[in-house]
Amino acid sequence: MRKNGFTLVEVIISLGIISLVSVGVMFAISLSLGSANRIKNSQIAANLSQEGLEVVRGIRDRDWHLGNSFGSSLANGTYLVDWNSQSLLPFSDTFLKINSNGFYNYSSGQDTVFKRKITIESSGQNPATVEKVAKVEVSWQERSSPKIIQAELRLFNWRQ
């Protein structure tokens, strides 16, 4: 006489297979989420470094529009800049914040994991009156290891 249904052994084997597949899928999802977070942080850091260079370029351009001499607002040193800075801010090792409009700044909003440092130097190849070098370093912690993105901009006195 043949009975319809599953035996206990068949049920245990099927549960084991389902468990193994579920663990594999969960592991793959976990890896994907971790990779997505790392990519997101790297993209934000790259954008923050680009923004820092653009702000420095804007400060240089503002000097020209005001008739100031080249580099008068870009003294050698280490600084901070906000997205809307019209001058360099004194450096402090401070985390950037993101406000409700999505702008990164140092004064209001929720703390982020990012720090940005702007370094202005006179060029070693050209005198300070001809070329300035702006370097941006954006750093953050990711899974207890430090990450850094650096970018550099060379500003020339094209009026000479």
Side-chain angles (χ1 to χ4, degrees), residues 58 60-68 159:
R60 187 260 331 247
D61 292 350
R62 185 172 184 269
D63 273 349
W64 283 338
H65 291 295
L66 294 175
N68 298 337
R159 284 188 166 178

Side-chain angles (χ1 to χ4, degrees), residues 96-151:
L96 283 160
K97 299 175 186 297
I98 186 167
N99 67 19
S100 59
N101 295 322
F103 293 113
Y104 288 83
N105 64 82
Y106 291 99
S107 57
S108 66
Q110 182 180 359
D111 284 340
T112 68
V113 296
F114 301 102
K115 293 181 180 181
R116 178 170 54 196
K117 177 171 66 171
I118 310 287
T119 304
I120 306 292
E121 302 170 341
S122 296
S123 170
Q125 298 173 353
N126 292 313
T129 58
V130 176
E131 180 183 12
K132 288 281 195 172
V133 179
K135 297 178 182 178
V136 176
E137 179 179 290
V138 177
S139 59
W140 71 101
Q141 282 294 117
E142 194 169 277
R143 289 190 173 192
S144 72
S145 71
K147 303 291 182 187
I148 295 175
I149 287 185
Q150 297 174 325

Side-chain angles (χ1 to χ4, degrees), residues 13-29:
I13 291 173
S14 0
L15 286 175
I17 292 171
I18 290 171
S19 297
L20 286 174
V21 169
S22 297
V23 167
V25 168
M26 294 304 287
F27 183 71
I29 289 171

